[in-house]
Amino acid sequence: DAYIFSSLVGGLEISQVVDPLVTVKNAVPKEYLSDPF
């Protein structure tokens, strides 16, 4: 379920590229997350 959710609403971005390290983040907009309080 998490994989499908991430691929539908997440935005994959490359944060940095340092040889040989590549950092990638997946951002999810707040409106798709439940309020914990």
Side-chain angles (χ1 to χ4, degrees), residues 2-37:
Y3 178 77
I4 294 170
F5 174 75
S6 177
S7 63
L8 289 175
V9 300
L12 196 62
E13 302 174 4
I14 297 177
S15 299
Q16 66 178 349
V17 179
V18 179
D19 293 344
L21 181 66
V22 176
T23 304
V24 178
K25 66 180 178 179
N26 189 9
V28 176
K30 283 185 179 180
E31 61 258 13
Y32 293 107
L33 302 175
S34 62
D35 189 13
F37 300 107

